[in-house]
Amino acid sequence: MTARTSAESPRGIPEATVARLPLYLRALTALSERGTTVCSSEALASAAGVNSAMLRKDLSHLGSYGTRGVGYDVANLRYQISREIGLTQDRNVAVVGLGNLGQALANYAGFRSRGFRVVSLLDADPRLFGMTVADLQVRPVADLEAVVAELDVAIGVVATPAEAAQEVTDRLVAAGVASILNFAPTVLSVPEGVDVRKVDLSIELQILAFHEQRRSPSYAPTISTTPAARGAVAVQEEGR
Amino acid sequence: MTARTSAESPRGIPEATVARLPLYLRALTALSERGTTVCSSEALASAAGVNSAMLRKDLSHLGSYGTRGVGYDVANLRYQISREIGLTQDRNVAVVGLGNLGQALANYAGFRSRGFRVVSLLDADPRLFGMTVADLQVRPVADLEAVVAELDVAIGVVATPAEAAQEVTDRLVAAGVASILNFAPTVLSVPEGVDVRKVDLSIELQILAFHEQRRSPSYAPTISTTPAARGAVAVQEEGR
DNA sequence: TAGATTGTTAATCGATTAACAATC
DNA sequence: TAGATTGTTAATCGATTAACAATC
């Protein structure tokens, strides 16, 4: 899912751990809102939906922020994780592609509340130019390079059709954007050092379908099909 | 991300492999559309963005569909993977929560083209009742149980605010839905045998932010902060 | 001190990759 | 037959988990 080759970040935190830090942060926030000031690894792990041994191992990569026999100070641990992730600093986001999904993303409140500022919306369709979404006017994708430079864009969200995604990504990267969140159903190739994360709705559904199939009563473990019979089945794909 | 405890499906296909099958399917479709009828593991792996050894290992779990010295028949492999995933059968999907994201999901063309039929839209807000989205009328979430039974819903998409997600999930599960795609930023607890997959936009952004931070020039490997200084920093979380 | 809970070590487990014998 | 490429084995690597000594 990511362009990094190593499983460890430069500072030595395993990718699997990095992916769970936001989960811990969320759980800590929930505890904090309920007035909890101290919690055990057991309680926090349960709130985050993981094993407590894993939680302690993960946290040990950040430092020693707990107290033996007591637990973790909720406010402090929350701050330490935020800092580790880099949420103490705001980051500017540009959304490219203002279809249904792009518009929903532009409006997504979860971005802003976590230090991600959507500062620009870009699309290739002239009919959308000037349209206001989430208090921003949609600009032509031709302005991409100018927008990245002017507005100091750090993260690009690609919500274009699959066919346009690679070109948009190339231009984002060339303009200096090194973090891409890709919603287009396509594999992006990027140079070393650029980070791509992929969110693919139809792939998630297909994984569910796989398990679903193994539950349904009509499921037969072995289906023999002749090559001729196979040819008769139309398999659909793509389309977005 | 999933409620299954074992890493293997009943039929013995590792979860990591299952998660890549849709990728291979997509790559095969692209090859097919370009007129390619046969391809090597090398070519397919490159199109899917994975190592060719991993691709061959993954495919070996399904059976022996390649020809040594030649490669794979694109149409046949595509059919075999579709069948394995269970895409040869249509599945009915209900979307609960018709905010920006829910509406975008209801309109998402990638669902229908892959055998997922959105058959019902549900929301708790009376102002949305009767509104038409993607040719469907929004119904009260109170109708959930009736809708699942009447329309044979196999997959529930939860796009509600975090606070409502667990209750909606409980009701979906009680009504017989065993596959849940969760977009709400919260951990769902479900009984054994129910499959939950989670798509969390803000977590993806936070993972990008982590790597982004390690690139930016202002990044200092060790920041010493006193407990007092920490207390002064407001860390925001949640909000959706 | 006795009880609780962290941080870490060691064991286990699964996933990835390289290499190559089988075979078209 | 010679060349190509699969399917599989074995090696490596990373991630998870159990267990416990350290210590509050």
Side-chain angles (χ1 to χ4, degrees):
Chain A
M1 289 288 153
T2 223
R4 310 197 147 253
T5 35
S6 147
E8 301 241 330
S9 77
R11 201 161 170 207
I13 301 183
E15 273 305 312
T17 296
V18 170
R20 282 186 296 263
L21 292 180
L23 239 50
Y24 302 152
L25 195 54
R26 179 175 288 162
L28 285 165
T29 301
L31 288 172
S32 175
E33 279 168 1
R34 294 200 339 248
T36 310
T37 58
V38 172
C39 71
S40 67
S41 64
E42 195 62 60
L44 182 54
S46 146
V50 303
N51 180 310
S52 72
M54 188 154 77
L55 170 79
R56 290 197 302 276
K57 184 116 230 254
D58 283 344
L59 294 184
S60 76
H61 289 109
L62 312 195
S64 255
Y65 298 124
T67 307
R68 286 167 209 252
V70 178
Y72 300 91
D73 179 90
V74 171
N76 181 36
L77 186 57
R78 203 165 147 223
Y79 167 78
Q80 296 299 343
I81 295 178
S82 291
R83 185 169 59 74
E84 193 67 39
I85 299 178
L87 300 187
T88 47
Q89 183 184 341
D90 274 9
R91 279 165 220 286
N92 291 343
V93 175
V95 176
V96 188
L98 272 291
N100 287 309
L101 188 59
Q103 292 191 29
L105 295 172
N107 279 298
Y108 184 64
F111 287 177
R112 187 152 320 192
S113 74
R114 250 150 294 215
F116 299 101
R117 269 197 313 249
V118 177
V119 294
S120 180
L121 308 178
L122 301 159
D123 201 288
D125 184 348
R127 287 171 298 179
L128 300 184
F129 298 168
M131 192 177 86
T132 300
V133 178
D135 294 335
L136 288 170
Q137 290 206 342
V138 177
R139 294 178 60 173
V141 73
D143 294 356
L144 190 150
E145 288 76 8
V147 161
V148 168
E150 282 165 24
L151 301 175
D152 188 27
V153 170
I155 297 177
V157 173
V158 176
T160 66
E163 309 76 46
Q166 184 64 58
E167 195 210 317
V168 164
T169 300
D170 291 345
R171 289 176 57 196
L172 284 167
V173 170
V177 176
S179 300
I180 308 267
L181 185 53
N182 177 33
F183 287 87
T186 189
V187 174
L188 294 179
S189 57
V190 292
E192 185 81 4
V194 174
D195 216 4
V196 177
R197 294 201 61 90
K198 184 167 164 47
V199 175
D200 197 316
L201 310 183
S202 97
I203 283 188
E204 296 300 328
L205 274 188
Q206 289 177 58
I207 296 171
L208 283 179
F210 175 87
H211 296 301
E212 182 70 22
Q213 177 175 229
R214 267 140 197 78
R215 258 193 298 267
S216 68
S218 63
Y219 168 60
T222 315
I223 300 168
S224 64
T225 37
T226 62
R230 279 178 227 140
V233 178
V235 181
Q236 294 161 321
E237 254 295 288
E238 244 24 273
R240 202 189 112 95
Chain B
M1 289 289 151
T2 223
R4 310 196 148 255
T5 35
S6 146
E8 301 241 328
S9 78
R11 204 164 167 202
I13 301 184
E15 274 303 313
T17 296
V18 171
R20 283 186 295 262
L21 292 180
L23 239 50
Y24 302 153
L25 196 54
R26 178 175 287 162
L28 284 164
T29 301
L31 287 172
S32 175
E33 279 168 0
R34 292 199 340 247
T36 309
T37 59
V38 172
C39 70
S40 68
S41 64
E42 194 62 61
L44 182 53
S46 145
V50 303
N51 179 309
S52 72
M54 187 154 77
L55 171 78
R56 290 197 302 277
K57 184 114 228 250
D58 283 343
L59 294 184
S60 75
H61 289 109
L62 312 194
S64 255
Y65 297 124
T67 308
R68 288 152 128 104
V70 178
Y72 299 92
D73 179 273
V74 171
N76 181 37
L77 186 57
R78 201 164 149 224
Y79 168 77
Q80 297 298 344
I81 295 177
S82 291
R83 184 168 62 71
E84 194 66 38
I85 299 179
L87 299 188
T88 48
Q89 184 183 341
D90 274 11
R91 280 167 218 286
N92 292 342
V93 175
V95 176
V96 188
L98 273 292
N100 287 309
L101 187 59
Q103 292 192 30
L105 295 172
N107 279 298
Y108 185 63
F111 286 176
R112 187 153 319 193
S113 74
R114 250 150 295 211
F116 298 101
R117 268 196 314 247
V118 178
V119 295
S120 181
L121 309 178
L122 301 159
D123 201 287
D125 185 348
R127 287 170 298 181
L128 300 184
F129 298 168
M131 192 177 87
T132 301
V133 178
D135 294 335
L136 289 170
Q137 289 205 344
V138 177
R139 295 178 59 174
V141 73
D143 295 356
L144 190 151
E145 288 77 8
V147 160
V148 168
E150 282 165 23
L151 301 176
D152 188 28
V153 170
I155 298 177
V157 173
V158 177
T160 66
E163 308 77 46
Q166 183 65 58
E167 196 210 317
V168 163
T169 300
D170 291 345
R171 289 176 59 196
L172 283 167
V173 170
V177 175
S179 300
I180 308 267
L181 185 54
N182 178 32
F183 287 87
T186 188
V187 175
L188 294 179
S189 58
V190 293
E192 185 82 4
V194 174
D195 216 5
V196 177
R197 296 202 58 90
K198 184 165 165 47
V199 175
D200 197 315
L201 309 183
S202 96
I203 284 188
E204 296 299 329
L205 273 188
Q206 289 177 59
I207 296 171
L208 283 178
F210 175 87
H211 296 300
E212 182 70 22
Q213 177 176 230
R214 266 140 198 77
R215 260 192 296 268
S216 68
S218 62
Y219 169 60
T222 314
I223 300 167
S224 64
T225 39
T226 61
R230 280 177 227 141
V233 178
V235 182
Q236 293 160 321
E237 254 293 288
E238 243 25 272
R240 203 190 111 93

